[in-house]
Amino acid sequence: MALLGIATLVVGLVGTLVIVLLADRATRDERTHDETAPGTGPHVEVATSEERALAQRRMVVLPPQAAQPQPLAATGTAGPALSLPEPTRVDGTWIPGGFPGTPEGALAQLAALNETALAGGDPAVYGRAYRALSQDGAPPPESTGLHSVLTSFRSTAGLPAGGPVSGLRVTYQITHGQVKGTASDGRYVVVCVLGQLAVEYQGRNSSVGVGDCQAMRRVDGRWRIAAGVLAAPAPSAWPGSADAVRAGYREVR
């Protein structure tokens, strides 16, 4: 790959992601998943009015610079740290699973999905992982903020739209989260994670704070991306910063 493309990738990552996140926020405020789309027949579960209201309720809106590296909050937290349960299904699985039917279990499942799916920074890999964990009738991966981030930074950096790139390392390390709320007697939960999306190439690196909210449904003893509407965009902030605290993110352990 051309040196110019790598330089654009590393040096321009923060600015690119901020632009993508702002565009995503603006468009998703008015966008919902079409629950009457082809292929969603009577057998497909759809969101109730209670679930739709929870998923679409707007989150705290942060300025674009909140996502950039900055000092950690000197005082105050959004609440005590969240203790995330360990997966009970790891061997022979791509995405760790087997989390309990609690809000913290749903949060842990989303964290496991995103950390697995974003490794390498390939939108196609993210899409496959997202679909593997989704109910029929769930919003498509292409409608999510994380997919937009991956496709946009690859395009801006002059990278192939998909596939591995020699020497390129992309990771997403989740450090914070929050439970937005529950519905349907706790079977439906909207959870949000926050972490550092980092890109490294030949000693050059750049990081930005990225959040992700998803609606999760408990189905047959598993947490799945829920059928129905797309959750409102997550606030993106540098993990542990005052902006992250203001947005309600708590440390996860």
Side-chain angles (χ1 to χ4, degrees):
M1 183 176 52
L3 181 60
L4 178 59
I6 287 297
T8 303
L9 168 66
V10 176
V11 177
L13 173 64
V14 171
T16 299
L17 291 183
V18 168
I19 292 170
V20 170
L21 292 166
L22 285 175
D24 179 64
R25 176 180 294 135
T27 56
R28 287 179 60 194
D29 279 346
E30 302 300 328
R31 184 178 68 203
T32 61
H33 177 56
D34 182 1
E35 295 175 297
T36 62
T40 56
H43 63 287
V44 175
E45 190 168 10
V46 297
T48 67
S49 58
E50 178 190 26
E51 293 169 354
R52 290 177 65 94
L54 172 60
Q56 295 180 319
R57 191 177 73 223
R58 295 189 178 192
M59 306 289 288
V60 172
V61 176
L62 296 174
Q65 62 268 26
Q68 300 185 31
Q70 57 186 283
L72 302 184
T75 60
T77 67
L82 292 164
S83 180
L84 299 190
E86 294 292 327
T88 60
R89 290 197 302 269
V90 178
D91 294 340
T93 64
W94 180 26
I95 304 166
F99 297 99
T102 62
E104 292 79 10
L107 184 60
Q109 183 64 83
L110 179 60
L113 166 64
N114 286 349
E115 288 190 339
T116 300
L118 267 67
D122 188 339
V125 172
Y126 173 76
R128 287 197 299 272
Y130 178 99
R131 290 187 183 94
L133 208 69
S134 295
Q135 282 189 284
D136 289 342
E142 294 79 11
S143 68
T144 67
L146 291 183
H147 191 276
S148 295
V149 165
L150 296 178
T151 56
S152 295
F153 100 72
R154 275 182 170 251
S155 175
T156 300
L159 295 171
V165 175
S166 178
L168 174 66
R169 183 171 182 264
V170 180
T171 61
Y172 184 45
Q173 182 180 6
I174 290 166
T175 57
H176 292 73
Q178 61 177 293
V179 178
K180 183 180 180 182
T182 65
S184 301
D185 296 324
R187 291 193 311 110
Y188 183 95
V189 184
V190 179
V191 289
C192 307
V193 295
L194 177 69
Q196 290 185 31
L197 182 65
V199 173
E200 180 181 350
Y201 183 81
Q202 293 186 346
R204 299 183 179 92
N205 59 77
S206 188
S207 298
V208 67
V210 176
D212 179 52
C213 291
Q214 296 293 339
M216 310 287 287
R217 193 187 304 279
R218 190 73 173 172
V219 182
D220 297 330
R222 297 178 60 197
W223 285 110
R224 308 289 296 274
I225 302 293
V229 297
L230 188 66
S236 286
W238 187 251
S241 66
D243 285 317
V245 171
R246 182 159 63 93
Y249 287 112
R250 299 157 60 182
E251 185 180 358
V252 297
R253 296 176 180 170

